[in-house]
Amino acid sequence: MTNALLVLGSANADLVVEVGRRPAGGETVLGGDTVVLPGGKGANTAVAAARVGASVALIGAVGGDGYGSLLRESLESSGVDTALVKTSERPTGIAYITVTPDGENSIVVSPGANADVSESDVDALSFDGASVLTCSLEVPLETVIHAIGAASKAGVRTVLNLSPVAELPTETLQQLTVLIVNEHEAAQLADDWRDLLELGPTSAIVTLGSRGAAVVAQAGIVEVPSIEVAEVVDTTGAGDAFAGALSARLTEGDDLVQAAKYAVKVAALSVTKAGAQPSYPTAAEVG
Ligand code: RIB
């Protein structure tokens, strides 16, 4: 293994429809035409990191179907190593996404092949040459727990985007170099952002949407403001863009605040275009 960054997580086909508003229970609303785009928190994170220049491999699974090909094509054309993306008997994961005029999204995920990402996939990989492992939680929790343990024992820094939110063993939290949560997740986990460190991670980042992010370390909290963007088109995958860009910069030797400053820019630029992976900027576009 020669990739500095390993990403463990999901790969989904995003079926996106624009709606004026979301339907209430038992209600039907008409939306726009369905657009199919490559997504999934793991694949998004890997693509965001690769676009800004990281050497990155995704550990994941897709089905042997057209959506699987769409995902492989997006990953590979962005420069992500897909040698560790297996083809499962199950269909490629699908995310059903509605986007409202303010750019906000809501998502239902059908995991499909992502449910097949297993502890043995982690055991099969080598951490040689890797400096960061970044995980998110649309693949089985036991696989993520196993990977974080293995990476930590191998001396590889570990980043976890706690999305979607789940309960983790204390030992796993203690093996984390960086815990990434949004404001709502942070509020569920601790009364005060400083208290996130008492859960076990060496550091934490609270993402604040259009306001940027807060880096929480033993030395204190540093708020990193976002950049202004002209128009918010679609926020889908902005958190994954942040996690990918942050991880990429960590492999390049940035400290956490420097990496977060870069990552808020990447996340902000990502909301100016539709979709997740298609919206991620290159290093040249970030400037
Ligand atoms: O974080 C955004 C992603 O969540 C989407 O691309 C969708 O696939 C879901 O996994």
Side-chain angles (χ1 to χ4, degrees):
M1 174 60 60
T2 52
N3 298 288
L5 175 61
L6 300 174
V7 174
L8 170 69
S10 61
N12 297 328
D14 288 354
L15 272 47
V16 186
V17 61
E18 289 184 8
V19 289
R21 64 180 178 82
R22 295 198 175 82
E27 193 189 11
T28 301
V29 297
L30 294 184
D33 290 349
T34 299
V35 180
V36 182
L37 297 170
K41 293 186 192 306
N44 293 349
T45 300
V47 165
R51 290 260 171 87
V52 297
S55 161
V56 49
L58 176 68
I59 303 136
V62 295
D65 46 32
Y67 290 152
S69 306
L70 172 80
L71 264 308
R72 286 189 186 279
E73 154 65 20
S74 177
L75 288 160
E76 284 160 15
S77 65
S78 300
V80 177
D81 181 346
T82 58
L84 300 170
V85 177
K86 68 183 182 186
T87 302
S88 155
E89 294 292 307
R90 299 182 64 162
T92 300
I94 294 179
Y96 300 91
I97 304 180
T98 52
V99 181
T100 44
D102 57 0
E104 272 302 325
N105 63 72
S106 58
I107 307 178
V108 173
V109 172
S110 165
N114 296 304
D116 269 354
V117 183
S118 66
E119 295 176 50
S120 57
D121 296 328
V122 173
D123 291 336
L125 72 88
S126 155
F127 287 100
D128 281 357
S131 64
V132 174
L133 169 79
T134 298
C135 305
S136 48
L137 297 179
E138 285 178 349
V139 293
L141 194 57
E142 57 274 17
T143 306
V144 175
I145 291 168
H146 188 64
I148 289 169
S152 161
K153 282 184 194 104
V156 170
R157 287 169 291 167
T158 55
V159 177
L160 176 65
N161 186 9
L162 194 72
S163 181
V165 75
E167 221 169 283
L168 290 168
T170 304
E171 189 190 6
T172 304
L173 288 163
Q174 289 171 341
Q175 288 166 334
L176 289 179
T177 313
V178 188
L179 172 67
I180 302 176
V181 288
N182 65 28
E183 277 179 287
H184 307 289
E185 292 154 357
Q188 283 173 40
L189 293 170
D191 292 334
D192 187 282
W193 292 347
R194 275 186 189 80
D195 295 344
L196 289 169
L197 301 189
E198 283 175 20
L199 300 172
T202 307
S203 53
I205 292 185
V206 182
T207 56
L208 306 170
S210 59
R211 288 164 22 244
V215 176
V216 185
Q218 287 301 345
I221 297 178
V222 179
E223 296 221 13
V224 178
S226 188
I227 57 165
E228 294 269 326
V229 294
E231 192 196 1
V232 177
V233 174
D234 183 0
T235 59
T236 308
D240 308 329
F242 180 91
L246 181 98
S247 305
R249 293 310 310 170
L250 291 177
T251 65
E252 291 296 317
D254 277 10
D255 66 32
L256 199 52
V257 172
Q258 287 171 326
K261 282 183 180 162
Y262 190 84
V264 294
K265 264 193 189 177
V266 170
L269 292 171
S270 79
V271 306
T272 63
K273 292 187 187 157
Q277 290 166 42
S279 72
Y280 295 160
T282 61
E285 288 165 336
V286 181

